[in-house]
Amino acid sequence: MTFVTKLTLQSGDRAVLERVVSEIATAVERKGAEMKGPHPSPPETLRVPQHKRTTGGETFDSWSYTVYTRTIEIVGHDDVARGVMDRSLPEGVHLGVEVEQVRPLGSS
């Protein structure tokens, strides 16, 4: 059975995110693992209302920020995926991990 590790990286700083994704891709290639991606998702702009008082009512202009997302899939090579997850990431970069077990066709 093969495991597919899906890494989702998010950040509000596009340049830092691209650097981290590039470093991960280089490390995975160096180890000879199969990698799919990075796949970019459309940037998401979030808006947060800011109230002038804790009781509500009058507000300042909403605070808005953009979140950039990249997805990478590492097929097999659990040790390589584990090494990527153990890396220290810059502040502001969030890493989400999903692991899926894939069975070959015809197996039960």
Side-chain angles (χ1 to χ4, degrees):
M1 279 177 251
T2 304
F3 289 93
V4 176
T5 306
K6 182 178 177 181
L7 307 173
T8 303
L9 293 111
Q10 296 180 316
S11 179
D13 188 338
R14 186 180 206 164
V16 171
L17 180 65
E18 294 298 338
R19 181 176 50 84
V20 169
V21 168
S22 176
E23 290 171 1
I24 290 171
T26 301
V28 170
E29 284 177 18
R30 218 173 335 154
K31 297 285 186 174
E34 180 184 344
M35 182 182 89
K36 296 179 182 176
H39 305 291
S41 297
E44 183 179 6
T45 300
L46 304 173
R47 297 193 190 317
V48 180
Q50 300 183 84
H51 295 278
K52 290 185 178 182
R53 302 188 193 294
T54 57
T55 57
E58 206 174 342
T59 61
F60 293 109
D61 290 338
S62 292
W63 175 57
S64 66
Y65 61 100
T66 304
V67 177
Y68 302 94
T69 304
R70 301 291 180 269
T71 305
I72 298 172
E73 293 179 3
I74 301 172
V75 181
H77 296 276
D78 304 335
D79 54 331
V80 173
R82 202 171 299 113
V84 168
M85 291 182 287
D86 286 342
R87 300 171 68 105
S88 62
L89 297 174
E91 191 173 316
V93 176
H94 179 298
L95 173 64
V97 180
E98 293 178 40
V99 179
E100 180 183 352
Q101 186 175 357
V102 179
R103 297 177 188 219
L105 291 175
S107 66
S108 39

